[in-house]
Amino acid sequence: MTAKFQSFIVWSMVVLAGLISLSVLFSGHLFSPNATFNGKFEAYALVKDIILCVFLIIVVTLIAKISHKYHCFVRLLLWLLIISVVAGALIYQPYAPVYDSMAVNVQVYRLLQPESGAGALWSHYFSTFPNNVPITVFLFWLDSPFKSIVHHFDDLLLLHAIFGQLLLLFSIYHLAKIIDVIFGKRVGNTFLLFCLFMPTYLMQFTQIAYSDTFALPFLIVGVRFAIAIFDHQAQHKYAHMASNYWLTTKNIILSALFLAISIFLRPNVIVVILALSIILIIFYARQWRLMLALICALAVFSFSTKAVANVTLSETHYQKVQDKNSQMPIESWFLTAYYLGGRSGNEINAITDKYHNYDQRKAYIREKLFEKFAALKLTGIIRTWHNKINVLFGIKTDFGMQYFNSFRKKSDVQAQKKYLKIYHQLTPKMIHLSTITVLTAVLSLFILPIYYLFKNNGDLKNEQQRYAMSMLLMTFEALTLFYVLFWEVQEHYIYMMLPFLLAIGAILSTFLADKILSSMFGGKKLKGL
């Protein structure tokens, strides 16, 4: 019965992955060029993108072949290139916060200033939008040891950009590490290659300190150690050693700590915890003690983080407005998720702001939401899901780059001209390269059925890889379903799923490359998969 249930979950994930891939194939024009949202940038036709994806698979195959003998050289080269891009972005494209992220950074700067009056430390914005309080508190914790060097607002933005880029490299390292251990170092090289070919991710995302940009690296590392806890190969390797206990304990503590920080910064990350719980219960039921230990550790770190945050809020005189009329009912999120095809807009703001009274506002939003569902019907709802998937992963995305065209050093006119010139020259190329990489990873999902069938032979290593793949796939799909079913979508929301998608794409692409190389070399299987 357990085996059948495992099979049902796995093949349900495979079908969902196939539907996502199929949706992306219908996300733009087949032969003529496409335009990104608002017509800001030009995107390639689907055929051209697919041809370039084939070239990327050829590069993956070459990397896989070269890595067979020169792994260390390839790994060093990829890391040097990635670090160069990440560091170069700080100098040549120093992106500045916009909208809500700017409000967060301004608030942190105010908290760091000793001359600020205690009663005026917190902006009223954070009483109305308390969801951005945790990231503000977290940044205040990070910045406090360095406040002696923060003399101007630009100093703070640079500090946050450095923190963000370091967190980005930290998360990439850990995801590559677990891929190395379970899937082989050649697959790890492919993952790093995919990261290198995602310049929008390496250059822009974590330079701007906000809840999602800082929550994601901690989520990645937390998932990495969660996979390590149940790593069959590691358990087998250290089965007769005292270090096995300490290794497992270390993995539990680190996984719980990083996941707790991620949840603190971005509470909707809880959907990943719920999804991973399903996988762990189904595939690792016999290791229930490890699961219980992980849950208990996660609870301890979550409550501890919240308690320390409350102390900080008290010391900085934060006061949450208790007026019920200033709150937004949960129905407003569903309204945004479906009313305008999954995007926010002025029409939605007109609905949510029509009434000041909370009960009247809630009733009116619910009325408009039900009217919209009735108008959409089942076909319209499915079409909305299709459109939202394409906003996240489709070939007409710009990864949010049209919004992130503001740079630090606002007072330096010459520097601003230089940054904008580079932006206009470089950004279209960044978008094209990132689109090809994402499309390659998405289309690789089509070979998931073959991958699972090939790994379903009872061998310990294949079982280990199958389970780890399931955890990565469940994480990716849980986050995707959250945005598609319950939340609004914007092009840059892809980043919460992106590292897991790239990891899955690297595994499947190298699996395909391995089959190509095996056929070219008389069926000889290369090491590393």
Side-chain angles (χ1 to χ4, degrees):
M1 186 67 181
T2 303
K4 289 183 178 179
F5 197 44
Q6 288 181 3
S7 180
F8 171 76
I9 294 296
V10 165
W11 290 105
S12 296
M13 292 193 298
V14 169
V15 170
L16 178 58
L19 290 174
I20 292 172
S21 298
L22 193 62
S23 177
V24 170
L25 282 178
F26 293 93
S27 61
H29 301 306
L30 187 60
F31 297 107
S32 57
N34 293 282
T36 63
F37 184 60
N38 288 333
K40 179 71 175 180
F41 302 102
E42 184 179 285
Y44 292 148
L46 178 61
V47 169
K48 186 173 182 178
D49 277 329
I50 291 177
I51 292 172
L52 292 171
C53 287
V54 173
F55 278 107
L56 181 53
I57 291 295
I58 293 172
V59 174
V60 169
T61 305
L62 292 173
I63 291 292
K65 174 61 177 173
I66 297 171
S67 297
H68 178 50
K69 290 186 177 181
Y70 305 104
H71 157 70
C72 291
F73 171 76
V74 173
R75 179 61 58 96
L76 178 62
L77 178 62
L78 288 171
W79 268 119
L80 287 175
L81 291 173
I82 288 172
I83 292 172
S84 298
V85 173
V86 169
L90 291 170
I91 301 171
Y92 298 105
Q93 288 288 270
Y95 300 99
V98 293
Y99 309 126
D100 292 331
S101 60
M102 178 60 82
V104 167
N105 282 268
V106 169
Q107 180 59 59
V108 175
Y109 183 69
R110 292 180 64 186
L111 291 174
L112 290 173
Q113 302 308 304
E115 66 274 9
S116 298
L121 284 178
W122 283 88
S123 165
H124 181 72
Y125 167 91
F126 293 90
S127 298
T128 308
F129 300 99
N131 56 301
N132 283 327
V133 169
I135 179 59
T136 307
V137 170
F138 183 77
L139 291 172
F140 177 65
W141 292 340
L142 284 181
D143 297 334
S144 292
F146 304 94
K147 63 181 179 181
S148 61
I149 64 173
V150 178
H151 304 295
H152 306 284
F153 186 51
D154 268 337
D155 298 334
L156 183 73
L157 296 185
L158 175 59
L159 186 63
H160 287 171
I162 293 172
F163 283 152
Q165 296 299 76
L166 289 175
L167 281 173
L168 174 68
L169 293 173
F170 180 67
S171 62
I172 291 174
Y173 167 80
H174 276 285
L175 197 47
K177 187 71 174 178
I178 198 66
I179 291 173
D180 284 347
V181 172
I182 297 178
F183 298 96
K185 293 183 177 179
R186 293 194 305 120
V187 185
N189 285 346
T190 303
F191 170 69
L192 292 178
L193 178 71
F194 277 14
C195 289
L196 177 62
F197 286 173
M198 280 298 307
T200 58
Y201 178 52
L202 296 182
M203 295 177 64
Q204 179 271 318
F205 181 62
T206 50
Q207 275 205 69
I208 297 174
Y210 194 53
S211 57
D212 54 348
T213 61
F214 274 43
L216 179 58
F218 291 106
L219 174 63
I220 293 169
V221 182
V223 171
R224 172 260 197 265
F225 283 110
I227 293 175
I229 293 169
F230 302 92
D231 176 7
H232 286 260
Q233 191 174 43
Q235 298 293 336
H236 178 73
K237 180 179 179 181
Y238 297 107
H240 304 292
M241 298 174 61
S243 59
N244 181 43
Y245 172 80
W246 297 111
L247 176 67
T248 303
T249 303
K250 180 201 75 171
N251 289 336
I252 289 173
I253 292 173
L254 291 176
S255 178
L257 174 62
F258 288 118
L259 288 175
I261 294 173
S262 182
I263 294 171
F264 172 71
L265 296 177
R266 195 78 170 180
N268 58 25
V269 167
I270 196 69
V271 300
V272 174
I273 309 302
L274 297 175
L276 289 180
S277 298
I278 295 173
I279 288 292
L280 294 177
I281 290 171
I282 293 172
F283 290 100
Y284 300 100
R286 293 182 180 179
Q287 301 186 52
W288 61 271
R289 292 178 182 84
L290 291 178
M291 282 186 275
L292 183 61
L294 178 60
I295 292 170
C296 290
L298 179 59
V300 169
F301 281 121
S302 294
F303 285 120
S304 300
T305 306
K306 187 68 174 177
V308 176
N310 287 335
V311 172
T312 301
L313 291 174
S314 176
E315 291 178 348
T316 55
H317 305 279
Y318 170 75
Q319 291 183 340
K320 182 179 180 180
V321 174
Q322 301 298 324
D323 182 12
K324 183 180 178 182
N325 293 328
S326 68
Q327 299 175 8
M328 195 64 68
I330 193 172
E331 287 86 352
S332 64
W333 300 114
F334 287 100
L335 185 76
T336 307
Y338 288 93
Y339 202 79
L340 296 177
R343 290 182 179 272
S344 57
N346 293 331
E347 192 174 345
I348 293 174
N349 295 335
I351 295 172
T352 57
D353 296 342
K354 184 171 183 177
Y355 294 101
H356 175 69
N357 180 270
Y358 177 84
D359 293 326
Q360 287 180 304
R361 182 190 300 134
K362 180 177 180 179
Y364 183 63
I365 291 174
R366 183 175 293 181
E367 175 189 339
K368 301 299 287 186
L369 180 61
F370 287 155
E371 285 179 4
K372 188 63 179 180
F373 280 142
L376 286 173
K377 300 180 181 177
L378 180 60
T379 55
I381 292 174
I382 293 175
R383 191 160 46 247
T384 300
W385 294 343
H386 166 69
N387 291 336
K388 293 171 82 173
I389 289 172
N390 292 341
V391 169
L392 293 171
F393 308 109
I395 63 172
K396 294 195 292 185
T397 181
D398 67 357
F399 301 94
M401 293 303 295
Q402 65 173 296
Y403 303 117
F404 302 106
N405 57 2
S406 179
F407 301 96
R408 302 189 291 274
K409 299 182 181 179
K410 288 288 187 184
S411 59
D412 190 333
V413 177
Q414 292 303 316
Q416 289 296 309
K417 289 181 179 179
K418 181 183 72 173
Y419 298 148
L420 283 172
K421 181 179 179 180
I422 296 174
Y423 173 85
H424 291 302
Q425 292 176 345
L426 190 61
T427 301
K429 299 177 179 64
M430 291 167 56
I431 293 171
H432 290 321
L433 185 55
S434 296
T435 300
I436 294 160
T437 307
V438 168
L439 184 61
T440 302
V442 169
L443 294 183
S444 72
L445 297 175
F446 278 128
I447 65 175
L448 264 174
I450 300 172
Y451 179 85
Y452 271 109
L453 288 173
F454 184 84
K455 297 293 179 180
N456 194 29
N457 65 0
D459 177 79
L460 179 62
K461 182 178 179 182
N462 284 338
E463 182 179 284
Q464 174 199 24
Q465 293 180 356
R466 192 171 70 252
Y467 288 179
M469 169 64 91
S470 297
M471 292 181 74
L472 290 170
L473 187 60
M474 180 64 90
T475 303
F476 164 70
E477 292 187 349
L479 288 166
T480 300
L481 286 176
F482 173 78
Y483 283 104
V484 171
L485 300 181
F486 306 116
W487 210 253
E488 66 168 306
V489 291
Q490 301 291 344
E491 284 81 357
H492 57 283
Y493 289 4
I494 183 181
Y495 291 122
M496 286 302 290
M497 293 79 77
L498 180 65
F500 306 103
L501 175 61
L502 295 183
I504 295 166
I507 295 164
L508 295 175
S509 298
T510 312
F511 174 76
L512 178 61
D514 186 56
K515 299 307 167 191
I516 294 172
L517 291 170
S518 294
S519 64
M520 290 173 61
F521 293 93
K524 180 182 177 181
K525 180 175 172 57
L526 301 177
K527 290 176 64 179
L529 264 179

